[in-house]
Amino acid sequence: MSSSSITLEEAAVPARTETLLSHHFDDVEQQSNASILGMWFFLATEVMFFSGLITAYTIYRALSPEAFRLGSLHMHVWLGFFNTLVLLTSSLTMALAVRSSQLGRRDRTVWYMVATAVLGAGFLGVKAIEYSMEIEHNLFPGVNFQVPAEDAAALAEISATPEELQQNLGHFQIMFVLYFFITGVHAFHMIIGIVIVLIMAALMKRNWFSGNGTTQIEAMGLYWHFVDIVWVFLYPLLYLIDLSGGH
Amino acid sequence: MSAPAIPSDPPADYLTDHTVKSWLLTGDHKRIGVLFLISVTIFFFVGGAAATLLRLELMTPKGDVLASADAFNRLFTMHGVVMIFFFLIPSIPAVLGNFLLPIMIGARDMAFPRLNLLSWYIYLIGGLLGIWILIFGGVDTGWTFYTPFSSMYSNTMVVTAAVSVFIVGFSSILTGLNIIVTTHTLRAPGMTWFRLPLFVWSHYATALIMVLGTPVLAISVVLVGLERIFRVGVFDPALGGDPILFQHLFWFYSHPAVYIMVLPAFAVVSEIIPCFARRPIFGYRFIAFSSIAIAIFSFLVWGHHMFVSGQSMYVGAIFSVLSFLVAIPSGIKVFNWTATLYKGSIRFDTPMLYALGFIGLFTIGGLTGLMLASLAIDVHVHDTYFIVAHFHYIMVGGSVMAFLGALHFWWPKITGRMYPEFWGKLSALLVFAGFNVTFLPQFLLGWLGMPRRYFEYRPEFQVLNVMSTAGASILAMGFLLPLVYFLLSLRQPRNAGSNPWGATGLEWQIESPPTSHNFHGPVLVTCEPYMYSPEEAEREYAHEQLVHHS
Amino acid sequence: MANTETHIISVKTYLMVFVALIALLVATVVAAMLPLGALHLPVAMTIAVIKAAMILLIFMHVYYSPALTKIVSVAALLWAALLLTITVADYFSRGWLDILGK
């Protein structure tokens, strides 16, 4: 492959499909393998990043299961359901985007990637609505946090001593600390994902990728699916602890 | 893009382009290694300055050198934070791993050159934040940031420190990612896993720990920061939190982190010993597998830092047993290195002095580690100078000596110049002697009950403390001398030759300093590593001396 | 090591997995509404793990990936489980001895 600079006319023509090879790789396959492997190990670091928070969640939920149950009843189950649907759909569109790029269908790839980003943005919009409602109800941890009266009463009933009640009330707040923090970190990852997906879609549209951009989009797809998997665990852990209504 | 014509005489090496832009925007793993070398060296001396002040204060039982106990707290915290996060963790992997790994496997660069450069910039940002903290008041929580002091009561720049550590952790993760992917995908034809130098195996194991452990540290410091900012009680007992949870999250990383600091040292020793004993390494596969075993088992023992914290005794007992087991792979390595020396033709050049010193001092550190793994003993010596001495034997007697040995061994390759051998040997001896005089008394102090992180102590401890400070001054000289002679060596012409030590390994088959792309053509590996022979040794050595020394 | 995709998954497969994921999502909500008591957590986590496995294997192509990819994905989850299990073991086993604070 010996093309040097691209002139403007060449850019308008359907792009080359030979991928640019960095000097330190022997062939395109090696280069692609390295990128995908790198993304997988990066996802391993992300798993560990979330695992610290999941550990904190597990400990505190085990210490005060009732406080966590009561706390989760303040979550908006159906908004969360909708969001999970949206995110799963965005994973589908992302997978289809990867597939389209493998088949060299650039326009379709762009379309699917934009759809993915839009769905992701929808997720974030709903999340913002949820946050604002929770903040309004004094459920954001910190100086404005208030344990709702009926929950405080319920916790008082199951606490044997005043110290235990204090612990339970504290754990009620910790549930919200973890809720806001974990979903916040998740949302942060989504924002980064949406931005990069949009940038890649734009680059794809301009035929910027030397090949079909398959490796890059596949790597991005892996990241996106990972963020989806995290939510698959977060939804039941935070929203669906126990909706059966009675104990 | 067509390549520019390569000038035939003299060949350009990776150091040739002198522009600032070519250095700050480089993708060349060798330059990034040099950039890291400069940065970690600066931080080493910053941490060393803190240590000097600490030892000066500790010469007398009363607090009289520093302004207050508070100043002392900030100093030992910054000493720990700087030395661990800004020096030890990056040192060998980011300097020598970056420089040597691609060459050792027959590659032209690391898998992700731009991420490599990014890792240096991220390190710098975190490091500069650390300097900022130093100037504007410091942190007084100890490098361990234990809650609830750090999250609720400390009046120092804890959040800034948390951010700094968080940032520098990403540098570590990126380095680890690069090492792993490079080792998997860029080995030259014929370079099978079991033909790799053990340097590569150990760095691979290190990278595994970096990748799997560092994110948990990140979360633990972020939680402390959150608690400080929002006062939310994640670690506040009055609000239902548990301070021990912080310790679990913190030590889940920080114990494997000590193996991040020592596995690269093992890597270096595994290269130096065979070369200067002129014998193939004894038990190659044992050393390779034990490196991986250490990486895995290191994640199972973190609770031995928490024996007296309030964790359950059952779990404590399990951690104790596992901590005994994790010593086994390290022991295997020590036996293998020692066996490599047997019937070898041993030369006591500077790198070898450091490597031999490493074996002795690491063994002492490791054996005292076994003592600490025993729950019953640890209960008595926890938070005393026994612990301080133990980890300094590993980190300084082990890692720092290996780092220095590595610098001397590979200096001719990195710069094309030789260091002066007399001064090298002198420094090695000063470091060894100074180190032992500094830290051996600290074992005794800990055993006698002197607590760590205290600015004053009982008068009966003074003699040993004075001895320790005296040793520290010798140690300081041992560290300062190489700074001087290494820098001075750069004024010489680049005439060290491609293989002054007669060593095996791909890095010694190319020029010193190497060209930008390392190799001039495709690489094919056909032989096993460490093909040394003691009988050939004298002949080779004489030949090298003749050819390469002016 | 061949990580590049030689196998292109059909749209039909993706859609089938998607439908299954939605079905499992509904199942997990329904399960939360049933009076399962202490079983809520195991049931919810089991469903979540199945969903995650489907996303991993098909959407993330792990099923068609080389062994190293499979090892990495499993190892990451294993390591998270390690942190979780041993830490929980501490809290779980406190107070087993009649010694104050242990």
Side-chain angles (χ1 to χ4, degrees), chain A residues 54 57-58 61 230-238 240, chain C residues 28 31 39-53 84:
Chain A
I54 298 291
Y57 170 91
T58 309
R61 177 168 162 179
V230 171
W231 184 258
V232 160
F233 282 94
L234 290 186
Y235 180 55
L237 285 175
L238 293 169
L240 303 178
Chain C
T28 202
L39 284 179
H40 271 123
L41 185 61
V43 166
M45 286 300 100
T46 307
I47 298 178
V49 165
I50 296 174
K51 288 167 80 177
L84 189 61

Side-chain angles (χ1 to χ4, degrees), chain B residues 54-361:
Chain B
L54 290 170
R55 285 290 356 142
L56 277 173
E57 172 58 74
L58 289 170
M59 274 215 305
T60 55
K62 292 262 168 277
D64 37 27
V65 169
L66 298 172
S68 59
D70 204 37
F72 187 83
N73 295 347
R74 291 164 201 239
L75 267 179
F76 70 66
T77 304
M78 291 319 292
H79 171 71
V81 167
V82 167
M83 283 308 205
I84 291 178
F85 292 115
F86 302 132
F87 173 67
L88 276 169
I89 300 235
S91 62
I92 299 176
V95 175
L96 292 151
N98 265 329
F99 193 99
L100 293 168
L101 201 110
I103 307 177
M104 285 181 167
I105 66 174
R108 293 184 285 287
D109 209 314
M110 295 285 255
F112 306 120
R114 285 171 297 194
L115 279 187
N116 208 2
L117 183 66
L118 184 65
S119 80
W120 183 67
Y121 278 111
I122 293 178
Y123 166 82
L124 270 191
I125 294 173
L128 284 171
L129 209 53
I131 301 279
W132 177 272
I133 296 172
L134 260 173
I135 298 174
F136 288 101
V139 192
D140 64 356
T141 59
W143 80 275
T144 46
F145 294 108
Y146 273 13
T147 56
F149 180 65
S150 62
S151 53
M152 290 172 57
Y153 300 106
S154 171
N155 290 321
T156 57
M157 305 170 73
V158 176
V159 175
T160 319
V163 173
S164 169
V165 166
F166 185 89
I167 292 175
V168 98
F170 271 103
S171 172
S172 194
I173 289 175
L174 289 177
T175 303
L177 276 176
N178 236 333
I179 291 177
I180 295 177
V181 176
T182 305
T183 311
H184 274 290
T185 59
L186 287 180
R187 282 168 292 124
M191 181 58 87
T192 59
W193 280 91
F194 291 115
R195 284 185 181 160
L196 285 170
L198 289 166
F199 184 95
V200 179
W201 275 97
S202 282
H203 273 80
Y204 183 85
T206 308
L208 284 178
I209 304 178
M210 283 169 158
V211 159
L212 291 171
T214 316
V216 182
L217 172 79
I219 273 295
S220 69
V221 295
V222 166
L223 282 171
V224 168
L226 269 188
E227 187 166 337
R228 275 183 82 84
I229 298 173
F230 293 105
R231 297 273 161 219
V232 288
V234 183
F235 302 123
D236 179 1
L239 293 173
D242 187 0
I244 312 298
L245 180 61
F246 171 80
Q247 292 188 30
H248 277 296
L249 295 175
F250 179 81
W251 287 113
F252 182 82
Y253 163 76
S254 298
H255 183 78
V258 313
Y259 292 96
I260 295 179
M261 299 183 242
V262 92
L263 273 167
F266 293 162
V268 167
V269 172
S270 296
E271 296 302 312
I272 294 181
I273 298 271
C275 177
F276 291 92
R278 309 312 293 177
R279 287 203 60 221
I281 193 100
F282 183 90
Y284 174 94
R285 290 195 185 211
F286 275 95
I287 299 189
F289 288 132
S290 67
S291 303
I292 305 296
I294 289 175
I296 296 174
F297 287 129
S298 68
F299 280 97
L300 301 177
V301 299
W302 78 84
H304 65 228
H305 298 270
M306 297 165 58
F307 283 145
V308 297
S309 64
Q311 82 180 350
S312 92
M313 192 179 269
Y314 278 92
V315 161
I318 295 175
F319 277 126
S320 179
V321 170
L322 289 169
S323 302
F324 276 101
L325 294 178
V326 85
I328 296 176
S330 299
I332 289 176
K333 287 176 191 280
V334 173
F335 283 125
N336 283 344
W337 291 320
T338 317
T340 306
L341 295 172
Y342 180 64
K343 289 201 174 172
S345 170
I346 300 179
R347 281 177 9 214
F348 291 97
D349 292 273
T350 306
M352 187 58 157
L353 290 180
Y354 279 113
L356 291 173
F358 172 94
I359 296 180
L361 299 178

Side-chain angles (χ1 to χ4, degrees), chain A residues 43 46 50 87 91 186-187 189-190 193 221-232 234, chain C residues 60:
Chain A
L43 292 181
E46 293 280 42
F50 279 97
L87 209 51
S91 257
H186 178 261
H189 281 81
M190 290 244 13
L222 289 176
Y223 176 84
W224 192 269
H225 296 305
F226 165 76
V227 178
D228 188 22
I229 290 181
V230 171
W231 184 258
V232 160
L234 290 186
Chain C
M60 295 171 87

Side-chain angles (χ1 to χ4, degrees), chain B residues 420-438:
Chain B
E421 183 61 33
F422 168 76
W423 292 101
K425 286 198 170 88
L426 179 66
S427 306
L429 292 172
L430 283 175
V431 166
F432 186 83
F435 172 82
N436 280 301
V437 176
T438 309

Side-chain angles (χ1 to χ4, degrees), chain A residues 23-24 30 49 60 167 170-171, chain B residues 108 110-111 185 234 239-240 242:
Chain A
H23 78 93
H24 56 290
Q30 191 187 53
F49 189 72
Y60 286 125
Q167 292 288 297
H171 291 157
Chain B
R108 293 184 285 287
M110 295 285 255
T185 59
V234 183
L239 293 173
D242 187 0

